[in-house]
Amino acid sequence: MAKKIASEIINDINCHLSKSSKQYYSDFYIGITNDIERRLFGEHNVDKENAWWIWREATDKEAAQEVEEYFLAKGMKGDTGGGNDETTYVYCYEITSNTIE
């Protein structure tokens, strides 16, 4: 998957949001990481096969943070900060009773 600029990732996430049964931004979690498998499926306990989720790789950490801050301002759960220069993955998932925020 090719790296994307912030506006492309925002568009991808918004398109994917329309496929969810949830209607509020607060029903979703947005974050950035340098390791999708560890963070999304391990630490957040998102079901890889039966859950609503999306991730994209940004061109750099600044683009990833821009996407994260955009959706946090809309009301998604999550927090800013942390990471290093390799923190270029943006992920979003639907919060369920099984996920760990």
Side-chain angles (χ1 to χ4, degrees):
M1 187 179 310
K3 294 181 180 184
K4 295 187 172 202
I5 62 172
S7 61
E8 292 173 312
I9 297 172
I10 290 169
N11 186 55
D12 286 355
I13 292 173
N14 277 325
C15 286
H16 200 58
L17 283 170
S18 68
K19 299 174 186 174
S20 171
S21 61
K22 304 287 183 170
Q23 58 181 339
Y24 301 108
Y25 283 108
S26 59
D27 293 325
F28 299 90
Y29 187 99
I30 189 80
I32 62 174
T33 185
N34 63 351
D35 185 336
I36 285 293
E37 288 291 325
R38 173 188 53 80
R39 189 77 174 131
L40 184 60
F41 305 115
E43 294 172 3
H44 285 298
N45 199 42
V46 173
D47 185 327
K48 199 179 238 186
E49 303 299 323
N50 298 306
W52 183 101
W53 54 268
I54 184 173
W55 67 267
R56 295 291 185 264
E57 186 174 8
T59 53
D60 54 31
K61 181 182 179 185
E62 289 74 25
Q65 286 177 312
E66 183 180 337
V67 175
E68 181 182 46
E69 290 169 6
Y70 173 86
F71 283 108
L72 288 172
K74 295 281 188 185
M76 283 189 182
K77 306 291 186 201
D79 200 3
T80 59
N84 55 39
D85 287 342
E86 295 175 12
T87 306
T88 59
Y89 297 97
V90 180
Y91 63 91
C92 181
Y93 65 87
E94 185 178 286
I95 298 169
T96 70
S97 59
N98 295 323
T99 58
I100 301 168
E101 286 64 63

